[in-house]
């Protein structure tokens, strides 16, 4: 991302120099140069968007901070209260786990805002032996979970695919008038070694 962004920035600068060197009467060439500059700018924006989609910048501060950020961004404007409780292991998850769990939470919160009419949301990530359990619960209107086809409901399909890719299981417990509980269980995850500050001091 950084290297491609630098190439596009350099190309745009060179194009601007070329455009300035063109004579004023070369209107067609100047217009073409301007259009090319616009396309380079759009390409640069697309690269930044793709990079953000692959790994959200918020994750640089850890999964817990990223989830707090997305909850504030998605639920805050809708006036929905939220409560987050994450195990310390959340910020030591390795590989694709942080990105997948972040996207699962993001999609779940978007669905809550669009469909649930909820007042409170609880997001919990707990450690269970070698595994991790994620719960996203709301007190909204709920729905008939048994009647929803995950293969055709795009939001749930995306969540289901991410869970399956990590070798986990997805359970959705909901019924009309009783809110929704989304549970993701990952039986075995990889954790980075604890940092010095996380290691208990010797007695």
């Amino acid at each position: 991302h950084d290297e491609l962004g630098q190439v596009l920035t350099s190309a745009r600068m060179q194009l601007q120099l070329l455009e300035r060197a063109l004579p004023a009467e070369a209107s067609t060439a100047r217009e073409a140069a301007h259009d090319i500059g616009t396309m380079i700018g759009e390409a640069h924006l697309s690269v930044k968007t793709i990079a953000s989609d692959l790994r959200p910048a918020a994750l640089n501060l850890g999964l817990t901070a990223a989830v707090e950020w997305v909850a504030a961004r998605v639920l805050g404007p809708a006036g929905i209260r939220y409560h987050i409780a994450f195990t310390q292991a959340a910020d030591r998850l390795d590989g694709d786990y942080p990105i997948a769990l972040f996207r699962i939470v993001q999609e779940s919160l978007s669905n809550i805002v669009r469909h649930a009419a909820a007042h409170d949301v609880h997001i919990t990530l707990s450690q269970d032996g070698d595994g991790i359990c994620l719960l996203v619960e709301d007190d909204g209107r709920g729905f008939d979970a048994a009647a929803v086809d995950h293969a055709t409901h795009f939001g749930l399909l995306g969540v289901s695919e991410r869970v399956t890719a990590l070798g986990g299981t997805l359970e959705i417990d909901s019924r009309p008038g009783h809110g929704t509980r989304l549970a993701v269980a990952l039986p075995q995850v990889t954790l980075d070694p604890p940092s010095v500050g996380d290691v208990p001091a010797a007695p």
Side-chain angles (χ1 to χ4, degrees):
H1 159 244
D2 289 338
E3 291 179 0
L4 184 54
Q6 290 172 5
V7 169
L8 291 172
T9 299
S10 177
R12 196 171 191 178
M13 291 175 63
Q14 294 296 325
L15 182 65
Q16 290 173 345
L17 291 174
L18 175 62
E19 187 176 2
R20 291 172 187 163
L22 291 171
E25 60 270 17
S27 58
T28 301
R30 295 176 68 86
E31 184 177 348
H34 177 77
D35 291 343
I36 293 172
T38 300
M39 288 187 285
I40 292 175
E42 292 173 351
H44 199 174
L45 181 60
S46 295
V47 168
K48 292 173 64 176
T49 301
I50 292 170
S52 178
D53 287 342
L54 290 173
R55 180 177 176 83
L59 280 172
N60 293 335
L61 299 176
L63 180 59
T64 303
V67 168
E68 291 173 348
W69 172 79
V70 78
R73 185 180 182 185
V74 175
L75 301 179
I80 301 174
R81 295 182 295 270
Y82 57 90
H83 316 270
I84 300 172
F86 273 26
T87 174
Q88 289 185 349
D91 294 324
R92 292 170 48 210
L93 289 168
D94 194 13
D96 295 330
Y97 295 109
I99 297 175
L101 289 169
F102 175 83
R103 292 302 185 195
I104 289 169
V105 171
Q106 185 179 42
E107 184 61 43
S108 300
L109 299 187
S110 296
N111 285 338
I112 289 171
V113 170
R114 288 197 300 264
H115 307 297
H119 299 289
D120 283 279
V121 173
H122 291 260
I123 310 167
T124 307
L125 188 74
S126 58
Q127 193 170 6
D128 182 12
D130 292 332
I132 288 289
C133 297
L134 170 69
L135 296 177
V136 181
E137 303 167 285
D138 71 71
D139 63 350
R141 60 167 60 102
F143 60 94
D144 185 355
V148 174
D149 184 359
H150 293 189
T152 58
H153 191 292
F154 291 115
L156 294 180
L157 175 61
V159 170
S160 180
E161 288 179 341
R162 293 183 191 279
V163 174
T164 300
L166 295 176
T169 58
L170 170 66
E171 292 184 5
I172 298 176
D173 182 15
S174 183
R175 54 196 176 100
H178 290 81
T180 300
R181 180 178 184 270
L182 181 145
V184 174
L186 305 179
Q188 190 162 5
V189 300
T190 305
L191 298 178
D192 289 329
S195 62
V196 175
D198 294 334
V199 177

